[in-house]
Amino acid sequence: MMSTPLCFICSYMSGTQLNVSPRRKPRTSTEIHNLGVSIKLRNSDSSGKVEKQTISLKAKLKRRNLALARTLLGYLDSGCLDIALHVFENMHKQRTFIWNVLIRGLSDNEFFEEAVYFYQRMLSEGVHVDHFTFPFVVKACSALFNLVEGQKIHSRIIKMGFDIDIFICNSLIIMYSKLGCIEQSEKIFEDMWAKDLVTWNSMISGYVSVGKSWRSLMCVREMQDLGENPDRFTLIGALGACSLEGYLLNGKEVHCQVIRRFLESDSMIVTSLIDMYGKCGHVDYSERLFNTASQRNIIFWNAMIGAYALNNKAMESFSCLRMMRETDNLDPDTVTLINLLTSCLRVGSLLQGKSIHGVAIRKGLFPHLVLETALVDLYGKCGRLDMAERTFIQIKGKNLISWNAMIGAYAQSGYHREALQLFTDRSSETFEPDAVTYANILPVYAEISLPKEAKQIHGKILKMGDGSNSIISNSLIYTYARCGDIRAAEKIFKCMPSKDIISWNTMIMAYAIHGLAEISIKLFSDMKEKGIKPNGSTFVSLLSSCSIAGLVDEGQKHFDLMKKEYDIDPGIEHYGCMLDLLGRTGNLEFAKQFIDEMPLVPTARIWGSLLAASRYHRNIELAELAAEQILHLEHNNIGCYLLLANMYAEARRWEDAERIRRHIKDQGLQKTAAYSLIEYNGKTHKFTNYDYSHTEANMIYEALDIVSRKIDEDLFDHSILKFKPSDIKKRRTNSATYHSVRLAICFSLLTTSVGYPVLVRKNLRICEDCHNAAKKISVFTNREIVVGDSKIYHHFRNGQCSCKDYW
C-alpha cells in the first residue's frame, strides 16, 4: 500500500534490484557547482550557447541523479546500508526526490530508525518535504512503536494541508491502529473525503489488531453496502476477526464469499480459513481444507499445527510436525515452535517444552520476543518458576504480553508478593495494563486478603471504561468471592452485558464456596435456559456446591446428567466431589466401592476425601487404608500423618499415635504454620497461633479473655481426647483459645463498627474448637463472623454455620 505514492519512480528505475557500483566515483555537489561556473565563463560570449549548455548540464545531472538513485535503492535492497549512505552523501541532495528515495528505501527494507533519522535531518537542512515523504516515515514510526514521533509527523501533515491525501491518511490509520490508538484511526477514517479499498482494509485490520472483532465485521458489511467489492486482503482481515472471537457462523459466511470469488486456491486465504476453523473449535474443517491443498508451505503446516494445539490435540500437533519434515522436508521455524509450546502448555508437558527450547537455541532463533514469552508462560504454568524467571530476564524489549506472562507465573505458583512487585515494576516501564494484566493480578489481592486494594483496582478499571470486559469481570467475580464479598461478586455478574461460560462457572463456584448451594443450583438452571451449554468445569462447580451443602440426591442427579445429557466424561475432580458427597452419608463402604469402580486411577485427592470422611465418622480402619494409599502417592504428606495421629490418639491408641509423631520428627517434616489475615486501614494484619508480635497484642488478649468468659468457654475446656492423660497439663499451654483465628476475630471486633461483619482469612482448615467458638461469638456479639479457610467460607450467624458443621 505504501509504495503507491512513489510509483512515479518506477518509470525511471526498472533495475531497482541491481547491486552494482557506479562506473566511477560520483562528483560532489561542490565539483558539480564549479563545473557549471567554468562552463558559464568559457561561454560568456554567447548567451544562447551558454543557455543550451546549461540546459544540457541540468539534463546530465538529472540523468546522473536518477542513475545514482537507482544504485542507491539497489544497495538498500541488498542490505548494504553503509555503501548506500556513501552514495547518498555524494549526491546533490537539495532535491526532495532524492531524500524521498532514500527514506522509501530505508523504510521498505526495515531500516526504520534510519528512515526517521533522515526525515529529521531533511527538516533540519531545510529540504522541502512533500506528500511523497510522509507515508514511508509514518510507516517507520509504526514499526518502531514510536507514537510520540508519529504524532509530531501527523501535526506537520495537518499544517501542510496533506491530511486530505488518501495515501497519507491510509498510512496514519495503520500507524494509530498498530499502536493501539484505534480512536485516532476512526477519526481519520471518518474525516476522509474519499476512501479506496486500501482505506477500508486498513480499518478492518486495525479493528482486528486491537481486538474489536465485531466492529471489524461491521466495517466489512458497511464497505459492501457502499458498493466496494472486497479483495483477498479484506477477506483475510474478516477471517482474522472471526478467529479472534470464535465467530464460526460469520467465518462460514466469509468462506462462502471466498468460494464465490474463486479464491479457494489463494494460499493466504486458505491458511486464514484453517486458522479460523481451528480457533472456532472445528479442527475437522481445518483438516479438510489442509488435506485438499495442492501445495503446502511452512505457513500451511504451522496453521494446522496451531489448530491442533488450540483444540487440545497435542499428539496430533506433534504428528503433524513429523509429517511436515518427512513429506515436505521442511524444518520448523519460530511459529512452528510457538504452536508446539501451546500444545505442551495444554497438557503440561514440561519435558517436551524443554526440548523445544533446546531446538530454538540450536537453530539460533533467540532473541525472539514471542517465542521467549511463550516459554515464560509454559515454565510458569508447569511450576518451574526458576526457569520462567531466567527466560524472562533474558528477554530484550519486553512488551506487555511478556510482563503478563511473568505476573501470571508468579500468581499461579503462589508467589503473590512477587506478582504484586512485578505489577508495580511494569508501571515504571510505561506499559498500561490490559485485560490480561488485571485478570492475572486481581486474584492475587484475594489470596493475600487485600479486598480494599482490589476495590481500588476495580475503580481504575471503571475509569478506563473496561468494566464491561468479560475477562476482567470474570476475574473480579472470583476476586470478590475469594475476599468474602459474595454480594459484590453477584452485582458484577448481574451487570455483565454478555456472559460467557467462564462467567457462569465462576459465579456458580462463588456461591458454592459460600455455602449457597440452592442459589448455585438455580443459577445452573438459568444458564441452561439462556442456551449456554455447560462444560466439565461447570459440573465441578455444581458438584462442589452440592458437596459443601450436603445435597446428596441433587449431586448424584447432576453427576449422572453429565454423560447422559451432555456427553461429558467425568474427570478426577468430579469423582472427588462425589466422594465428598458420599462421605456425608456415612456409608463409607459404598464410598470405598465407588473408588474401586472408578474408570480413572485414584489420586491422593480421591483418597483424601475418603480419609476426611473416615475421620468425621471415626472409622479408623478405613482411614488407615486411605492414609496408606495417600502416603504411597505422596510420601511427605504431613497433613495425612497428622490427621492419622490425631485419630489414633482419639481412639486411645497411644503407641500408634506416638509412632506417627516420631516418624514425622525423624523425617524432618514440618507442619505448615497456621496463620489468619485481616485487613484494616488498607493494611493486612497477620496473626499466628499464640502471637504476641502485634503492636496491640495486650489489648487483643484482654478482649479475647473477655470473649472467652462471655461464651462460657474455660481456658482448658477443649477437646483433649487426642492427648494422653499424662500430657494434658503440658498440652494445656497449647490451648486452642489462642489460635490465630480467635486473635484475628478479636482484633476485628475492636477495630470495626458495631454490627459490621467480621471477615477473617485462614491459610489452613479451621479447627473444631475455633469453629464452635465462632458460632458462640456470633450470638454474643450479634454480628456475622465470616471465616474463609483453605476450602470454603464459614458464615456464622446466630450460633449457626453455613457449612452445617461438615467441612
Side-chain angles (χ1 to χ4, degrees), residues 235 254-264:
L235 298 176
V254 178
H255 193 173
C256 291
Q257 292 204 38
V258 169
I259 295 171
R260 284 200 299 270
R261 297 177 189 281
F262 304 102
L263 294 172
E264 304 99 312

Side-chain angles (χ1 to χ4, degrees), residues 376-638:
V376 171
D377 199 29
L378 172 72
Y379 288 136
K381 288 176 179 172
C382 288
R384 288 303 305 269
L385 198 60
D386 55 335
M387 299 186 73
E389 286 177 326
R390 197 178 310 156
T391 307
F392 178 75
I393 291 170
Q394 293 173 352
I395 296 177
K396 296 179 180 178
K398 301 177 181 68
N399 63 5
L400 183 58
I401 300 173
S402 311
W403 287 89
N404 287 345
M406 196 64 233
I407 291 170
Y410 277 131
Q412 291 163 17
S413 300
Y415 288 78
H416 304 123
R417 298 290 176 184
E418 289 79 359
L420 287 175
Q421 184 61 51
L422 199 64
F423 178 67
T424 305
D425 294 344
R426 172 215 52 80
S427 301
S428 65
E429 295 287 337
T430 68
F431 287 125
E432 287 296 326
D434 63 359
V436 178
T437 316
Y438 287 126
N440 283 336
I441 203 64
L442 277 167
V444 172
Y445 290 104
E447 296 302 327
I448 60 177
S449 192
L450 284 172
K452 288 187 178 178
E453 294 286 341
K455 287 179 181 178
Q456 289 180 1
I457 297 293
H458 190 186
K460 290 181 182 179
I461 292 169
L462 294 175
K463 286 181 181 178
M464 292 173 59
D466 288 336
S468 60
N469 185 291
S470 61
I471 297 175
I472 295 176
S473 296
N474 294 341
S475 186
L476 281 167
I477 292 170
Y478 172 85
T479 301
Y480 279 121
R482 291 298 301 169
C483 284
D485 194 347
I486 188 65
R487 295 179 184 85
E490 187 178 52
K491 183 178 179 182
I492 292 169
F493 178 78
K494 289 181 177 178
C495 292
M496 288 179 68
S498 61
K499 304 176 182 69
D500 57 18
I501 186 64
I502 299 174
S503 311
W504 291 93
N505 291 351
T506 307
M507 197 64 228
I508 291 171
M509 181 57 80
Y511 284 130
I513 63 174
H514 284 269
L516 302 171
E518 292 79 7
I519 304 177
S520 186
I521 294 168
K522 183 182 182 304
L523 195 64
F524 175 71
S525 300
D526 293 342
M527 183 185 85
K528 291 193 295 182
E529 289 177 5
K530 297 283 185 182
I532 306 294
K533 185 179 179 181
N535 58 16
S537 298
T538 313
F539 282 100
V540 171
S541 300
L542 189 64
L543 292 173
S544 297
S545 186
C546 295
S547 171
I548 291 168
L551 302 176
V552 179
D553 294 337
E554 195 76 30
Q556 186 66 57
K557 183 184 76 173
H558 288 106
F559 183 79
D560 295 338
L561 278 178
M562 284 178 61
K563 185 66 178 176
K564 291 179 181 177
E565 190 170 333
Y566 300 103
D567 196 29
I568 298 173
D569 292 320
I572 203 70
E573 301 89 350
H574 305 104
Y575 283 105
C577 293
M578 284 305 298
L579 268 171
D580 289 340
L581 265 174
L582 294 174
R584 281 181 173 271
T585 64
N587 191 346
L588 299 185
E589 291 301 325
F590 181 69
K592 172 62 172 59
Q593 182 183 348
F594 183 82
I595 294 176
D596 293 337
E597 295 175 356
M598 276 174 52
L600 303 175
V601 178
T603 62
R605 157 80 172 88
I606 294 295
W607 292 109
S609 296
L610 183 62
L611 178 61
S614 302
R615 166 74 190 280
Y616 184 81
H617 296 287
R618 303 190 186 280
N619 187 326
I620 197 165
E621 290 78 13
L622 206 54
E624 287 177 320
L625 172 64
E628 181 184 352
Q629 296 296 330
I630 293 170
L631 295 174
H632 176 72
L633 297 168
E634 298 177 355
H635 304 291
N636 296 326
N637 191 316
I638 182 68

Side-chain angles (χ1 to χ4, degrees), residues 248-301:
L248 178 61
L249 184 60
N250 298 99
K252 288 182 175 180
E253 290 177 1
V254 178
H255 193 173
C256 291
Q257 292 204 38
V258 169
I259 295 171
R260 284 200 299 270
R261 297 177 189 281
F262 304 102
L263 294 172
E264 304 99 312
S265 60
D266 189 301
S267 61
M268 286 182 64
I269 289 181
V270 175
T271 303
S272 298
L273 283 166
I274 292 171
D275 180 65
M276 183 272 295
Y277 282 123
K279 288 178 178 174
C280 289
H282 282 263
V283 71
D284 52 332
Y285 290 177
S286 297
E287 287 176 330
R288 198 177 307 162
L289 286 164
F290 181 79
N291 292 330
T292 55
S294 56
Q295 290 184 337
R296 304 183 191 121
N297 56 20
I298 188 68
I299 302 174
F300 264 85
W301 286 99

Side-chain angles (χ1 to χ4, degrees), residues 33-47 49-51 53-54:
H33 176 71
N34 293 337
L35 177 63
V37 172
S38 64
I39 291 173
K40 288 182 182 179
L41 290 173
R42 286 199 304 269
N43 296 282
S44 58
D45 58 334
S46 173
S47 60
K49 190 176 181 180
V50 169
E51 184 179 354
Q53 291 195 7
T54 302

